[in-house]
C-alpha cells in the first residue's frame, strides 16, 4: 500500500486537497539501477539449465508412458512415431545443457552429462536404418528384449535427469541467494 499524504493548496479549501505519495522524493533521489541489483550471468545460466532440465524430464516421462503403452499391446508404429519426434530435440537440449555446464565450470554436473552426451552420440550413430529421424524402429519393438532394453534406458535417464534437476535447482537457489547478499 502506498502511504499517501494530503497537501492543501494555498488558495483552495481543504476539500480540494491534493494527494501526493510520500515516497516520490525518495524515488527521485536514487536511480533505479542503484536500488535493484542485477542478476549475474551465473544466475541466468542456472535458470536456463533448470528450465532445460524440466524439459528433459517431460520428454523422459512421455517416453516412459509410451513404453508402458507398448507393453500393454498398443501399435508399435504409432508409439515409435510419437517417441521419435522427441529424440533429436532431447539430444540437442541435453547437448546445450552440457555446454552451459562446461561454460559455467561446474565439473561435478558436467561429468555424468558428458558421459550421457557421448552415449547419445553413439546411440544415434548406431541406430537402425530408417527413413525418418529417431532411434526407435517399430520392427525391432516387437522383440521383447529390445523393448525392455529401451524401457530400462529410459528409466535410467529419467533417474539421472531427476537427480541432476534437484542439483541444478539447489545451485540456482544458492546462486540467487548469494547474489542478494552482495
Amino acid at each position: 500500500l502506498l502511504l499517501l499524504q494530503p497537501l492543501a493548496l494555498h488558495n483552495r479549501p481543504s476539500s480540494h486537497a491534493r494527494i501526493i505519495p510520500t515516497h516520490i522524493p525518495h524515488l527521485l533521489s536514487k536511480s533505479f539501477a542503484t536500488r535493484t541489483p542485477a542478476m549475474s550471468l551465473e544466475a541466468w545460466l542456472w535458470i536456463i539449465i533448470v528450465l532445460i532440465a524440466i524439459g528433459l524430464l517431460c520428454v523422459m516421462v512421455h517416453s516412459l508412458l509410451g513404453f508402458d503403452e507398448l507393453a500393454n499391446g498398443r501399435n508399435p508404429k504409432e508409439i515409435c512415431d510419437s517417441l521419435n519426434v522427441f529424440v533429436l530435440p532431447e539430444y540437442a537440449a541435453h547437448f546445450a545443457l552440457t555446454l552451459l555446464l562446461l561454460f559455467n565450470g561446474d565439473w561435478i554436473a558436467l561429468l555424468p552429462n558428458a558421459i550421457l552426451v557421448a552415449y547419445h552420440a553413439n546411440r544415434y550413430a548406431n541406430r537402425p536404418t530408417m527413413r525418418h529421424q529417431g532411434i526407435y524402429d517399430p520392427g525391432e519393438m516387437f522383440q521383447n528384449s529390445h523393448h525392455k532394453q529401451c524401457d530400462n534406458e529410459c528409466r535410467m535417464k529419467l533417474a539421472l535427469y531427476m537427480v541432476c534437476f534437484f542439483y541444478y535447482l539447489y545451485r540456482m537457489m544458492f546462486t540467487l541467494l548469494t547474489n542478494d547478499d552482495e
Side-chain angles (χ1 to χ4, degrees), residues 150-165:
C150 291
D151 188 43
N152 288 337
E153 172 190 339
C154 183
R155 289 177 192 278
M156 286 188 283
K157 286 186 350 182
L158 178 65
L160 176 70
Y161 288 156
M162 187 77 76
V163 169
C164 287
F165 169 73

Side-chain angles (χ1 to χ4, degrees), residues 101-112:
L101 290 171
L102 179 66
F103 180 70
N104 203 20
D106 191 327
W107 309 115
I108 294 171
L110 181 67
L111 181 64

Side-chain angles (χ1 to χ4, degrees), residues 55-99:
L56 290 172
L57 284 171
C58 291
V59 169
M60 283 298 99
V61 168
H62 172 73
S63 298
L64 198 58
L65 291 173
F67 288 124
D68 187 48
E69 289 179 2
L70 195 60
N72 292 335
R74 191 154 171 225
N75 185 1
K77 176 145 177 46
E78 292 175 10
I79 299 295
C80 289
D81 287 344
S82 72
L83 294 178
N84 281 332
V85 170
F86 293 106
V87 170
L88 286 181
E90 175 201 351
Y91 289 1
H94 189 250
F95 182 71
L97 183 137
T98 306
L99 284 179

Side-chain angles (χ1 to χ4, degrees), residues 41-62:
L41 177 64
E42 184 181 12
W44 281 110
L45 285 175
W46 282 114
I47 290 171
I48 293 169
I49 288 170
V50 165
L51 292 175
I52 292 173
I54 290 171
L56 290 172
L57 284 171
C58 291
V59 169
M60 283 298 99
V61 168
H62 172 73

Side-chain angles (χ1 to χ4, degrees), residues 81-151:
D81 287 344
S82 72
L83 294 178
N84 281 332
V85 170
F86 293 106
V87 170
L88 286 181
E90 175 201 351
Y91 289 1
H94 189 250
F95 182 71
L97 183 137
T98 306
L99 284 179
L100 288 174
L101 290 171
L102 179 66
F103 180 70
N104 203 20
D106 191 327
W107 309 115
I108 294 171
L110 181 67
L111 181 64
N113 284 292
I115 292 170
L116 188 57
V117 165
Y119 176 77
H120 283 162
N122 182 37
R123 178 97 158 97
Y124 197 77
N126 297 323
R127 70 189 179 111
T129 306
M130 300 185 309
R131 293 183 312 184
H132 305 289
Q133 296 177 348
I135 58 173
Y136 303 113
D137 183 29
E140 290 184 0
M141 284 299 166
F142 282 113
Q143 300 172 1
N144 196 26
S145 63
H146 185 72
H147 170 258
K148 290 290 184 191
Q149 177 189 2
C150 291
D151 188 43

